[in-house]
Amino acid sequence: MSHNFLQHWKNSFLFFLCAVIILICMADLFDYLLWRGDIDFVQSPFNKIDALLLAQISYSKVDGLLSDSFNHAKTLSQLSKDIKSAPDYKERLNVGVLINNRVTELLDKCSKTNRFKDVKICGYRNIFNQESAEQFSGFCFLYGKKWEQKAVVLKGTDDTLVGWHEDFDLSWKEEIPSQRDSLKYFADVCHHFKRGKITLIGHSKGGNLAVNTAVKCGEKLQRRIADVYNFDGPGFSEAFFDSDEFMRVETKIHSYFPSFSLVGVVFSHQKNFTIVQSSASAAWQHDMLTWNILGIDFETAKDFTKESKAFCRNLNAWLKELSVEQKRNFVDAMFSMADATGASSLTQLKNDSKIAVSGKILSVVTSMDKETRSEVFKIISLLTGVIRTDIFNSFGAILSVKK
């Protein structure tokens, strides 16, 4: 009896000590799994950190391992095993230049916890079209008692140049292809699972897709939405937030941005959002694995950094200076240069010879007609002029302090 009591006391003390260490230190998603992994969704309901985690693991390379049917689900535990046993396992570990390479490791850790090992994924949809500059991936997660709870996760931009081309198209298109794809995907999920609330989740472009879907899916499907989690997703026009469609779901949308945000501050956003502290510096704060977690919440900041605000102010001012046609021509010209390199991803672009890449880009520039070339240089010059005095001075001040 006394031995059992001492063992119980010892385990309780160790758990308490571990919890204190995690709360004191800059905890991340791996720490969250250590602290929360043994507690199921019945004991502790789905929360914003769970949403962040699902958004992160959606960047795992799962092509060929998941069914596109909602009737054929696979647990995270089985998915992790399938990735490890895949003949191209090492290739699947390389998720891209700007995506944290620990994403597969995170999925593996999830698969070994009581909280996530039995979470199921079904209805995986992956659309990639170079001609239409379209990159979309959607996942339906099932969790909770008898898997009655559902979350739709819309993946952000991957490593492909096509995905990045579509991101830039947000600057001039009223609707990009992946926004249409996500609306259809959510409608398909609602049609298959006719009962219950559904949570929408997305990071980066995926955050934009989640918010756009919640607003534009129609009043009937809006009633099916439990919550919307937007993690550093780019915004919309001011008119978007004045619409009746937005007003109907405004209280369900939860947006989170790192203190140094470059992606999330583009365009306009809703008035209420949360700023999160990150262990990374500058643009690397876009990486969700650097976001500081406190228990089931974030470590928050009062405001964006002055550099982030300067970038937001100047980039949005620059975009307003340009006509729709100018923005379209600029984006097309930039990616025609990228296409000329023969690379299909940022990883390939990074690994290719800089001299060879520069030569191919120069070849495209010289082959442009005089008017187009002049317009491209004019736009680049305008951007440089807009940001020079503000952002360059801000970063100069930081460097002088570090010296």
Side-chain angles (χ1 to χ4, degrees):
M1 179 73 176
S2 60
H3 174 75
N4 290 338
F5 173 79
L6 288 173
Q7 187 63 37
H8 176 73
W9 183 89
K10 180 182 177 182
N11 290 340
S12 298
F13 177 76
L14 288 173
F15 177 83
F16 172 77
L17 186 62
C18 186
V20 169
I21 292 172
I22 289 174
L23 287 173
I24 292 175
C25 299
M26 293 184 291
D28 60 16
L29 286 171
F30 286 97
D31 299 310
Y32 175 74
L33 289 175
L34 285 173
W35 179 66
R36 209 73 176 174
D38 63 327
I39 304 173
D40 62 31
F41 291 105
V42 175
Q43 295 171 289
S44 178
F46 190 89
N47 61 67
K48 65 191 76 171
I49 309 302
D50 296 318
L52 185 79
L53 192 148
L54 295 187
Q56 182 66 61
I57 65 174
S58 74
Y59 286 103
S60 302
K61 287 189 173 181
V62 296
D63 287 342
L65 302 178
L66 291 174
S67 171
D68 61 358
S69 170
F70 294 110
N71 292 315
H72 296 91
K74 182 177 288 189
T75 63
L76 289 184
S77 178
Q78 186 59 52
L79 176 61
S80 180
K81 291 176 184 176
D82 291 347
I83 290 177
K84 288 179 182 178
S85 62
D88 58 347
Y89 170 65
K90 289 185 178 180
E91 293 177 22
R92 290 178 184 271
L93 296 178
N94 180 21
V95 290
V97 174
L98 298 179
I99 302 171
N100 197 304
N101 60 15
R102 297 188 73 191
V103 63
T104 310
E105 180 189 352
L106 182 67
L107 172 59
D108 182 55
K109 295 291 185 183
C110 284
S111 72
K112 296 173 181 176
T113 65
N114 188 48
R115 189 168 182 82
F116 289 100
K117 66 180 180 180
D118 293 324
V119 170
K120 294 182 177 180
I121 311 179
C122 63
Y124 172 58
R125 189 168 298 172
N126 187 49
I127 300 172
F128 182 86
N129 189 317
Q130 187 166 359
E131 289 185 8
S132 59
E134 178 179 11
Q135 174 253 316
F136 169 82
S137 291
F139 304 77
C140 183
F141 287 83
L142 311 176
Y143 61 95
K145 190 176 181 180
K146 296 183 179 179
W147 299 282
E148 79 283 2
Q149 297 180 66
K150 303 158 194 74
V152 165
V153 177
L154 305 168
K155 180 180 174 181
T157 308
D158 60 15
D159 193 47
T160 64
L161 291 179
V162 168
W164 282 91
H165 191 164
E166 187 178 37
D167 285 354
F168 276 76
D169 281 346
L170 275 170
S171 67
W172 67 271
K173 283 187 176 180
E174 290 188 8
E175 183 181 61
I176 57 174
S178 60
Q179 289 176 332
R180 292 193 296 271
D181 295 332
S182 59
L183 280 165
K184 186 178 186 309
Y185 184 70
F186 182 60
D188 290 346
V189 172
C190 291
H191 178 74
H192 183 84
F193 299 104
K194 300 187 184 301
R195 295 181 181 179
K197 297 283 189 177
I198 301 171
T199 299
L200 281 163
I201 302 166
H203 166 254
S204 194
K205 181 178 71 176
N208 174 280
L209 300 183
V211 173
N212 186 74
T213 298
V215 172
K216 296 185 177 180
C217 66
E219 192 169 358
K220 182 179 178 181
L221 294 188
Q222 283 182 325
R223 291 195 289 269
R224 297 287 306 276
I225 297 173
D227 290 286
V228 181
Y229 291 100
N230 165 31
F231 300 115
D232 205 26
F236 302 85
S237 67
E238 293 179 2
F240 180 90
F241 298 103
D242 293 329
S243 67
D244 292 337
E245 292 83 0
F246 172 76
M247 300 295 182
R248 287 199 295 263
V249 293
E250 181 178 10
T251 58
K252 297 181 180 183
I253 299 174
H254 316 287
S255 293
Y256 302 89
F257 308 99
S259 57
F260 193 114
S261 176
L262 295 184
V263 177
V265 295
V266 180
F267 310 124
S268 297
H269 277 281
Q270 65 189 104
K271 296 177 181 178
N272 298 318
F273 54 84
T274 301
I275 302 174
V276 179
Q277 294 274 21
S278 167
S279 60
S281 59
W284 294 109
Q285 292 190 14
H286 187 58
D287 177 5
M288 293 177 287
L289 274 172
T290 71
W291 291 17
N292 296 348
I293 296 169
L294 290 171
I296 59 172
D297 210 332
F298 291 109
E299 181 184 353
T300 60
K302 292 183 179 180
D303 201 357
F304 292 111
T305 65
K306 62 181 181 180
E307 295 78 29
S308 178
K309 287 192 284 188
F311 178 85
C312 169
R313 180 170 58 251
N314 291 304
L315 178 65
N316 289 328
W318 174 66
L319 289 171
K320 287 181 179 179
E321 287 278 337
L322 304 177
S323 67
V324 171
E325 191 65 22
Q326 283 179 310
K327 285 183 277 193
R328 177 179 182 174
N329 291 339
F330 178 72
V331 171
D332 287 347
M334 293 300 291
F335 281 91
S336 68
M337 295 181 207
D339 290 341
T341 67
S344 61
S345 67
L346 293 179
T347 298
Q348 289 180 355
L349 201 59
K350 174 177 175 289
N351 293 336
D352 286 347
S353 164
K354 291 181 175 59
I355 295 175
V357 168
S358 299
K360 291 174 182 177
I361 291 176
L362 182 61
S363 176
V364 173
V365 173
T366 54
S367 67
M368 291 178 181
D369 61 75
K370 186 176 180 181
E371 185 178 346
T372 302
R373 187 166 60 248
S374 175
E375 188 68 19
V376 168
F377 287 140
K378 178 181 176 183
I379 291 172
I380 293 175
S381 177
L382 175 61
L383 175 61
T384 304
V386 167
I387 67 175
R388 181 183 292 115
T389 56
D390 206 335
I391 291 185
F392 284 10
N393 287 346
S394 295
F395 280 101
I398 292 176
L399 291 174
S400 65
V401 169
K402 287 185 178 180
K403 290 178 181 178

